[in-house]
Amino acid sequence: MSDVRIGVQLQPQHAGEYRLVRDAVLRAEDAGVDIVFNWDHFFPLTGDPEGYHYECWTMLGAWAEQTERVQIGALVTGGGYRNPDLLADMARTVDHISDGRLILGVGAGWNERDYAEYGYEFGTPGTRLALFKEYLPRLVGRLQRLTPAPVGELPLLIGGGGERKTLRLVAEYADMWHAFGDLETFTHKSGVLERHCADVGRDASQIPRSTAWPGADQADAFVDAGVGLFTIGTTGPDYDLDEVRAAVAWRDTRG
């Protein structure tokens, strides 16, 4: 079995009919990916800003029933517009529907339109991070009190790279970390995370690292730097999986 996993982010924009998303999920699982992600936005991030778009967590419930093998999750859920106690209950429920295959991905949020048009306060990067810091213990605490409990460990993935605040929260709470940037940036921030982990008494090697697929020519270098999960994004209406298949083929050469 390979030491690296491959994910695909099926961006829920521009799909037209939802059946195209459903078909893309089937094709992704058949292609051999390990994880199928979506994202938690309310409008397209690229292309026509008024184009078709579908909601994240409703979709994850459908994916939980539709799929059999892959893990599923959001990359990532917007912390500023999801009540953390309710989010914990939603996640626990989807985890049961999927027989324990959910990854609970969360972040502080960044896209102003998501907040403004749905009536949430956008604030500043500082206030959004402060709210995220307040929400994380509520999220974790509610998961621990729910009956029934999640099926498995229900890994908590945190996305972001802020060195002073976000990576500290990763060290304190995360079971997985999703990073952004090139190899030099990843290596630097990974070192920052290791220092935060030392400060809070955690073994940094126990937090798997995730990033975007950089292509087969660079992937081995990222693995050497600690990455264990690569994710390829693809958008509607076509949901082209050619690069996904190439990444799966690269993964399989690693044994």
Side-chain angles (χ1 to χ4, degrees):
M1 179 178 295
S2 175
D3 58 341
V4 181
R5 297 191 295 165
I6 299 297
V8 59
Q9 185 188 54
L10 300 178
Q11 299 161 354
Q13 59 180 7
H14 309 308
E17 298 296 329
Y18 179 76
R19 62 180 176 80
L20 297 178
V21 178
R22 185 185 301 114
D23 173 69
V25 174
L26 287 174
R27 290 190 288 117
E29 188 166 46
D30 289 345
V33 302
D34 300 288
I35 306 169
V36 181
F37 290 111
N38 58 11
W39 67 28
D40 188 22
H41 295 287
F42 304 136
F43 304 94
L45 296 184
T46 62
D48 180 2
E50 305 305 324
Y52 276 72
H53 199 279
Y54 295 100
E55 193 277 327
C56 165
W57 277 91
T58 311
M59 189 181 308
L60 288 175
W63 290 6
E65 284 284 8
Q66 178 186 354
T67 56
E68 297 179 354
R69 177 188 57 80
V70 294
Q71 288 186 284
I72 58 173
L75 193 64
V76 289
T77 305
Y81 40 81
R82 298 289 187 179
N83 175 284
D85 294 272
L86 177 57
L87 176 61
D89 207 344
M90 293 160 55
R92 181 277 311 253
T93 300
V94 173
D95 190 55
H96 274 266
I97 296 170
S98 68
D99 292 324
R101 292 182 288 116
L102 181 71
I103 295 171
L104 177 50
V106 293
W110 61 272
N111 188 45
E112 185 171 6
R113 188 183 181 193
D114 292 327
Y115 290 78
E117 294 210 23
Y118 276 58
Y120 296 95
E121 182 179 352
F122 184 57
T124 66
T127 61
R128 291 194 297 278
L129 274 169
L131 186 64
F132 189 50
K133 181 178 180 180
E134 173 192 326
Y135 274 13
L136 281 170
R138 288 177 56 186
L139 176 65
V140 172
R142 180 62 60 184
L143 282 169
Q144 293 170 345
R145 296 194 299 274
L146 288 168
T147 304
V151 175
E153 296 182 356
L154 186 49
L156 179 67
L157 178 153
I158 293 179
E163 296 183 16
R164 204 163 49 87
K165 297 179 180 179
T166 301
L167 292 180
R168 179 72 177 206
L169 295 174
V170 172
E172 291 176 343
Y173 293 101
D175 303 301
M176 301 173 65
W177 169 49
H178 184 77
F180 304 90
D182 59 17
L183 180 60
E184 181 179 358
T185 300
F186 171 81
T187 302
H188 169 72
K189 291 184 182 293
S190 190
V192 174
L193 175 60
E194 289 170 5
R195 292 193 289 274
H196 282 302
C197 285
D199 290 341
V200 302
R202 286 194 73 184
D203 181 353
S205 68
Q206 299 304 304
I207 303 176
R209 320 291 166 88
S210 165
T211 195
W213 172 244
D217 58 331
Q218 298 185 56
D220 286 305
F222 274 90
V223 173
D224 291 342
V227 171
L229 168 64
F230 293 109
T231 297
I232 301 98
T234 183
T235 196
D238 297 330
Y239 291 110
D240 186 342
L241 299 183
D242 286 350
E243 189 65 21
V244 174
R245 295 186 185 93
V248 168
W250 168 87
R251 178 202 66 191
D252 291 346
T253 65
R254 297 182 61 85

